[in-house]
Amino acid sequence: MTDAWDPTTTGVLRLPSGRLVRGRGLRRPLPAGPVPTFALYLLGRQPPSVDWEARWLRWPDFRLPSDRTAAADALREAWTRAEDQRVEIACGGGYGRTGTALACLAVLDGVPRGAAVAYVRRHYASRAVETPWQRRFVARFA
């Protein structure tokens, strides 16, 4: 088992099951401490390579994923890996796309779809999930 994130660290979301997932904005420096075991990057273009396992999901800023089936698969993989690995989800700013993805992980973790955005805003960042269509994406995520 990989050491989990420190749950008191800024940007680390604790899901109801106890899984920990770090959300962050890639425009900011990499936080001090351990690096991810697995990362899911939500960007309009391919991110630079990193020294850990990563998956890129084409997801333009302020929009929704280009391939919703691939997005659902990637989010399920991130949720599963978060059980015993350090999982990071990141976009440019760390709020819209990252918050939307974290809210989807909350749904997978048992938070009702209608409450997932509020959960992430309360436990991750008040600015998470920036657009009406991102909120709708979470509300329809299964």
Side-chain angles (χ1 to χ4, degrees):
M1 180 173 156
T2 303
D3 292 330
W5 296 115
D6 177 354
T8 63
T9 303
T10 301
V12 173
L13 173 68
R14 180 185 294 276
L15 294 166
S17 67
R19 287 174 168 90
L20 301 171
V21 180
R22 181 172 75 187
R24 78 175 178 104
L26 294 171
R27 290 192 292 265
R28 292 188 293 280
L30 184 67
V35 297
T37 306
F38 174 77
L40 178 58
Y41 295 124
L42 315 171
L43 298 165
R45 65 177 68 139
Q46 190 164 358
S49 63
V50 291
D51 293 334
W52 47 86
E53 187 177 355
R55 185 169 175 180
W56 167 54
L57 189 60
R58 185 180 301 276
W59 191 330
D61 201 8
F62 295 105
R63 302 206 183 265
L64 296 176
S66 299
D67 182 336
R68 301 211 183 147
T69 301
D73 290 345
L75 292 167
R76 283 185 186 89
E77 178 182 5
W79 178 78
T80 300
R81 286 174 172 254
E83 187 171 10
D84 61 1
Q85 297 178 36
R86 287 187 308 272
V87 172
E88 171 178 84
I89 296 185
C91 64
Y95 298 106
R97 294 167 285 182
T98 296
T100 302
L102 291 173
C104 291
L105 293 189
V107 169
L108 291 172
D109 209 62
V111 175
R113 289 181 285 186
V117 171
Y119 182 89
V120 170
R121 286 179 174 169
R122 186 171 47 256
H123 297 287
Y124 169 68
S126 61
R127 295 174 44 199
V129 191
E130 296 175 311
T131 68
W133 40 93
Q134 289 172 341
R135 287 191 299 275
R136 194 166 39 249
F137 182 79
V138 174
R140 294 177 178 168
F141 185 77

